[in-house]
Amino acid sequence: MAYRFVAFGEVLWDLLPSGRVLGGAPFNFIHRVASIGDQGTMVSRVGGDGLGREALAVMEALGMDARCIQRDARRPTGTVPVSLDADGNPVFTIVPDVAYDFIEPAAGAEAAASAADCFCFGTLAQRSPVSARTLAGLLERFGGKLRLLDLNLRRNCWTPESVRSSIERADVLKLNDGEAGTVASLYGLEDLPLCGLPVALLGRTRLSHVVVTLGPRGAFAVSRSGAAVYEPAYAVDVVDTVGSGDAFTAAFAHGLLAGWALACSVRFGNALGACVAGQRGATGPIASADVEHLVREDRRREPDPRFG
């Protein structure tokens, strides 16, 4: 069964050392949703400049639905200079006051949110009150199963209030191990080990699921029903990790909507994320057979004893 996803937020150009690549966490998420057979709609805004026109052309070439991408005649398309650290992890410099900071209410976006099974959002586009208000309205209209918060904290682009309010409006929280420390401090849980944080968050919020991605160590997830699983990462030759977390989120959300066991959803997320990490950039083609092969061979890294 194909599920309907909507993602709200940034469409931008990642200015990588190797060249310019269209990206943004919600954009990467929606692209990967489509690559596993689901339907995805991106709600965002690009400039009326050359980069905006090029972004729309790339989306068309990737077969993505661009009907809810607004055009801004005054502000530029978002860009993010990206460098890679010694481990191949991206380091982002977020440019302010760009088109996706000014996403406006629109009938098409409201209709898409009302019909979706999963609505994915983050914190970056909420740095502007214009986009934040539009997001709030779409979340009110959403009538599906999962409000999915991919926290995606970027330096100087969030506040404690925006993080807390986002978590309060979400059903599923996805964060990485670095972001976990920030969330723990906001909820007075900083003395807990990382493996104890997700369960504690369920006790402080209305969340149904919390999943923490651990990079090369895999991922750990808990649900309000009492399930708690840790799955080690698949062993691949990492080219770069841009977009791998977004691919994990797409696959994990698909599994939740399909009613899979939590371990299967995490495993699928790990596999799709690993396939993305094994290629350059976030939007290269990945065949379902590649993901299935990785799962079937079951070549996983050593488990982290703190979670296993």
Side-chain angles (χ1 to χ4, degrees):
M1 177 178 177
Y3 299 99
R4 292 171 294 186
F5 289 79
V6 169
F8 178 95
E10 62 274 16
V11 169
L12 50 80
W13 287 97
D14 285 323
L15 307 181
L16 299 165
S18 58
R20 189 172 67 232
V21 178
L22 194 62
F27 169 84
N28 296 336
F29 170 85
I30 283 295
H31 171 67
R32 285 301 163 205
V33 157
S35 76
I36 57 178
D38 290 320
Q39 300 172 11
T41 299
M42 182 72 219
V43 179
S44 189
R45 190 174 181 95
V46 297
D49 49 15
L51 288 180
R53 292 189 292 274
E54 188 176 347
L56 294 171
V58 170
M59 292 186 70
E60 181 180 0
L62 291 171
M64 298 176 66
D65 181 358
R67 288 175 295 177
C68 293
I69 305 296
Q70 301 171 11
R71 283 71 161 174
D72 193 315
R74 295 174 53 200
R75 301 172 187 90
T77 301
T79 54
V80 177
V82 183
S83 58
L84 302 178
D85 66 17
D87 297 320
N89 298 310
V91 179
F92 303 93
T93 302
I94 310 296
V95 177
D97 199 30
V98 294
Y100 66 75
D101 291 315
F102 298 89
I103 304 170
E104 298 174 350
E110 292 169 356
S114 298
D117 299 299
C118 177
F119 188 103
C120 180
F121 66 105
T123 55
L124 178 52
Q126 296 185 65
R127 65 181 179 174
S128 158
V130 176
S131 289
R133 285 194 297 268
T134 301
L135 171 62
L138 292 177
L139 285 170
E140 288 181 2
R141 287 182 172 271
F142 176 72
K145 185 176 181 181
L146 296 179
R147 293 176 178 86
L148 171 60
L149 170 60
D150 183 358
L151 205 56
N152 197 32
L153 299 180
R154 297 291 182 242
R155 184 167 55 90
N156 300 325
C157 295
W158 60 273
T159 65
E161 292 75 19
S162 68
V163 171
R164 277 184 169 275
S165 67
S166 294
I167 291 174
E168 289 169 2
R169 291 178 288 175
D171 303 303
V172 179
L173 170 63
K174 180 262 182 182
L175 65 168
N176 62 36
D177 48 355
E179 293 163 343
T182 299
V183 172
S185 67
L186 293 178
Y187 285 86
L189 301 170
E190 53 266 59
D191 292 335
L192 284 178
L194 179 56
C195 59
L197 176 63
V199 172
L201 281 174
L202 293 182
R204 300 285 185 92
T205 66
R206 58 174 292 278
L207 293 165
S208 63
H209 295 80
V210 178
V211 57
V212 182
T213 54
L214 307 167
R217 294 175 292 153
F220 178 70
V222 299
S223 72
R224 188 166 291 279
S225 66
V229 300
Y230 165 67
E231 291 289 333
Y234 289 94
V236 296
D237 294 327
V238 174
V239 176
D240 73 56
T241 60
V242 176
S244 59
D246 308 318
F248 174 95
T249 308
F252 179 76
H254 176 93
L256 292 185
L257 288 172
W260 295 354
L262 189 59
C264 293
S265 298
V266 176
R267 203 172 300 134
F268 186 33
N270 281 346
L272 189 59
C275 287
V276 172
Q279 63 182 21
R280 190 171 304 282
T283 58
I286 293 175
S288 58
D290 296 332
V291 182
E292 293 166 3
H293 177 74
L294 196 60
V295 173
R296 187 169 56 251
E297 284 204 336
D298 199 25
R299 293 185 294 106
R300 290 190 278 178
R301 300 181 187 273
E302 287 295 319
D304 187 323
R306 293 174 293 177
F307 297 91

